[in-house]
Amino acid sequence: MSRLGRTSARARQVWRALRKNPYLERVEQARHRNEDPPPPEPPPVDDLEPDPEADPGIPRSLKVASSWAWRTLVIAAAVIGVLYLADILAVVVIPMLISLLLAAMLQPLVALLVRAHIPRSLAAAVVLVAGLGTVAGVLTYVINQFIEGVPELVANVQRGVQTIQTWAKEGPLHLEQAQIDNFFKQLSDSISNWLAADPTSAAETAGVTLGVALTTLTGLFLVLFTTFFFMRDGRRIWNFLIGMLPTAATEPMVRAGNASWRSLVSYVRATILVAVIDAVGIGAGLVLLKVPLAIPLAALVFLGAFVPIVGATVSGAVAVLVALVGDDWVTALIVLGLVLAVQQLEGNVLQPILMGRAVSIHPLAVVLAVGAGVVLAGIIGALIAVPLVAVLNAGVRQLRMKPSPPPTEEPAEESPQPVPSPRDQTDSRPTLGGRGFRCPQWRDQARTTADGHRNRRVTKNR
């Protein structure tokens, strides 16, 4: 065979080996397996069956509006039912919500003690007792300051009333003393008649007062016990509630619950820090201006900061009014400027930095939530309305987000195998000495040499 024929034969052998290479087949199969399947083709318009219930006389916009309307009515009925049950069980629901706020505030301290190898039950009890002691000490100090400042405030009010009487007589009104005395007498009689009551009304008032006292004590004990168990077994309680849901809803609810809890903790921490800064700033200004009841007013500012926007406005107005009655209008204007400056610092600097995106709620939503809370549950409703809206906002946003897919391990790439040559495929005989002589002349020479060495060893042994 000529050299050209041998080259052609080798080329054909190489081509057949490449076509039958198993490595290339595996690579091609893996490439087809990793490709996304093509989307199914939509059926043609002519094949779609018409809706048997469709009425050609009703426009589509009216159908969509009616669908939205009855679904909205169902949701509204469900919300009204929940609010009705909450009103009936207010003695239990309100302490539970307050306990959630307290647990969110005290949970970091419990976690700190647990990291210090203290049992969780003991850590929760220590934090709860320390919190009660702190609150009792602060209330005692504020009440004592209020009692000490009342006489000075009363004296200032009397001086203010006398100033008003003098201005009414000598000012542009030119009233007589008899007219002024008659006005104050009528005002005093009206207040006395409003406070006076017959024995039946007094008995009813005592009964109502006793009922309110018992309800308050019951709520206080529920708050204490619920806060303790929330701090100790909060995660276990949440896992138990999640376990009652269907399997498909477990993972989304876990994500929503974690996001809601982080939002609540961020809100409580930021609110406490803002309340402390407001109380210290306004209280220090009142003390420097020697306004009566400066410490009780600072405590009122601290409590009012837990009701965003509305609480700060009301507590600031009370401070300005006390400064006006207890001192003069110049002091009242200075206090007004101080309150406005602190509120601007709170709204434009502190809240955006401390709360951030975790509890970002529009001011209109805050005002509407506080108003709805006051209408539904009074002061307690105003206190828990904004945290409730923040929790729902965080949970709903988390439910709307698509969960990130778990990271998939990519299969390790196979190392490419060398393509066998035609000579390797044609010569399947074992090699001599592990060298693998492929040329026929070299192979015959190696065999002859090996046979000669073997014969010499046999002859020598003989």
Side-chain angles (χ1 to χ4, degrees), residues 91-92 94-100 102-103 128 132 216-230:
V91 181
V92 178
I94 292 177
M96 185 183 67
L97 295 177
I98 296 176
S99 299
L100 280 175
L102 294 178
L128 186 61
L132 288 176
T216 304
L217 290 177
T218 303
L220 180 60
F221 282 109
L222 282 176
V223 166
L224 295 178
F225 281 102
T226 310
T227 304
F228 172 76
F229 286 110
F230 278 167

Side-chain angles (χ1 to χ4, degrees), residues 267 271 302-313 346 366 370 374 379 381-384 386:
Y267 173 82
T271 303
F302 176 81
L303 296 177
F306 286 91
V307 182
I309 300 177
V310 179
T313 303
E346 170 192 345
V366 173
V370 171
V374 170
I379 298 177
L383 178 65
I384 65 178
V386 179

Side-chain angles (χ1 to χ4, degrees), residues 176-250:
E176 297 180 357
Q177 185 64 34
Q179 293 176 340
I180 297 174
D181 294 340
N182 188 21
F183 170 76
F184 283 102
K185 184 176 181 303
Q186 291 179 358
L187 181 61
S188 178
D189 293 340
S190 299
I191 296 175
S192 300
N193 293 331
W194 181 68
L195 295 176
D198 53 0
T200 305
S201 300
E204 293 178 356
T205 304
V208 171
T209 304
L210 181 61
V212 171
L214 292 177
T215 304
T216 304
L217 290 177
T218 303
L220 180 60
F221 282 109
L222 282 176
V223 166
L224 295 178
F225 281 102
T226 310
T227 304
F228 172 76
F229 286 110
F230 278 167
M231 290 190 297
R232 195 189 73 169
D233 301 326
R235 176 62 63 179
R236 189 183 305 173
I237 295 172
W238 175 247
N239 291 336
F240 172 76
L241 295 177
I242 290 298
M244 299 172 63
L245 299 176
T247 306
T250 301

Side-chain angles (χ1 to χ4, degrees), residues 102-231:
L102 294 178
M105 178 177 62
L106 300 176
Q107 183 62 36
L109 299 178
V110 177
L112 183 63
L113 294 179
V114 170
R115 286 196 294 269
H117 305 289
I118 297 177
R120 182 170 290 274
S121 299
L122 181 59
V126 168
V127 171
L128 186 61
V129 172
L132 288 176
T134 303
V135 171
V138 172
L139 286 179
T140 302
Y141 178 72
V142 170
I143 291 174
N144 290 334
Q145 292 294 321
F146 180 78
I147 294 175
E148 293 178 0
V150 165
E152 181 182 359
L153 180 62
V154 171
N156 292 333
V157 170
Q158 291 178 355
R159 287 196 300 268
V161 170
Q162 292 178 359
T163 303
I164 293 174
Q165 292 179 357
T166 305
W167 177 82
K169 288 189 299 182
E170 299 177 357
L173 298 179
H174 297 288
L175 297 179
E176 297 180 357
Q177 185 64 34
Q179 293 176 340
I180 297 174
D181 294 340
N182 188 21
F183 170 76
F184 283 102
K185 184 176 181 303
Q186 291 179 358
L187 181 61
S188 178
D189 293 340
S190 299
I191 296 175
S192 300
N193 293 331
W194 181 68
L195 295 176
D198 53 0
T200 305
S201 300
E204 293 178 356
T205 304
V208 171
T209 304
L210 181 61
V212 171
L214 292 177
T215 304
T216 304
L217 290 177
T218 303
L220 180 60
F221 282 109
L222 282 176
V223 166
L224 295 178
F225 281 102
T226 310
T227 304
F228 172 76
F229 286 110
F230 278 167
M231 290 190 297

Side-chain angles (χ1 to χ4, degrees), residues 269-357:
R269 291 179 180 177
T271 303
I272 291 176
L273 188 55
V274 168
V276 170
I277 294 175
D278 290 352
V280 171
I282 296 179
L286 295 177
V287 171
L288 292 176
L289 294 173
K290 297 181 180 180
V291 177
L293 305 177
I295 301 300
L297 288 175
L300 181 63
V301 170
F302 176 81
L303 296 177
F306 286 91
V307 182
I309 300 177
V310 179
T313 303
V314 173
S315 59
V318 172
V320 173
L321 182 60
V322 171
L324 178 61
V325 174
D327 204 335
D328 54 6
W329 63 271
V330 177
T331 305
L333 288 178
I334 296 175
V335 173
L336 177 61
L338 176 64
V339 170
L340 292 177
V342 172
Q343 289 185 359
Q344 291 298 318
L345 176 65
E346 170 192 345
N348 298 324
V349 178
L350 296 179
Q351 287 187 354
I353 293 177
L354 298 177
M355 293 189 181
R357 294 176 57 89

